[in-house]
Every structure is written in C-alpha cells, then in structure tokens.
Amino acid sequence: MRYRKRNPDGTLGDWVYTPAGEEERKQEEAIRKELEALRKENKKLKNAQKEGGENGMG
C-alpha cells in the first residue's frame, strides 16, 4: 500500500510504501519483467514460424 508522507510544514510529501506494499511492488515488478520476456520470446517464435521454423520444419 502507498500513502503520502507529510512534510514537516504539514504539506503532503512524497508517496511512500508500507513494508507490505513494498513487497507487493517488488512482486508486481518481477511479474512485469517476466511478462515482457515472454512477449519477446513469443515474438521470436512467431517470426521463426513465419520463416519456416528454426529447424527447417513448417
């Protein structure tokens, strides 16, 4: 979870994460990276399929 930290003068400061929110953010970032890697792999496979496959089959 995120919340706005208060500045010493009482105004709203930066967004900060609670410890549980920080862990959740890290997990989401890891999932995002994994998804991006899978998309790249999928694109490679689609290109290989269009070109007749990497092993000459297709």
Side-chain angles (χ1 to χ4, degrees):
M1 183 171 149
R2 288 186 341 164
Y3 64 95
R4 293 289 293 269
K5 193 164 96 177
R6 290 276 179 184
N7 292 325
D9 63 2
T11 59
L12 288 175
D14 294 331
W15 285 99
V16 294
Y17 287 92
T18 61
E22 181 65 23
E23 182 62 30
E24 185 178 323
R25 184 192 65 78
K26 288 179 183 178
Q27 288 175 356
E28 287 176 357
E29 187 175 321
I31 290 170
R32 220 175 288 124
K33 286 180 181 179
E34 184 178 352
L35 181 60
E36 184 60 32
L38 289 171
R39 284 182 174 147
K40 286 180 181 179
E41 181 68 18
N42 191 36
K43 188 175 182 179
K44 285 182 190 177
L45 291 172
K46 284 183 179 181
N47 287 338
Q49 189 177 34
K50 286 180 186 176
E51 295 170 5
E54 292 178 355
N55 57 6
M57 298 185 70

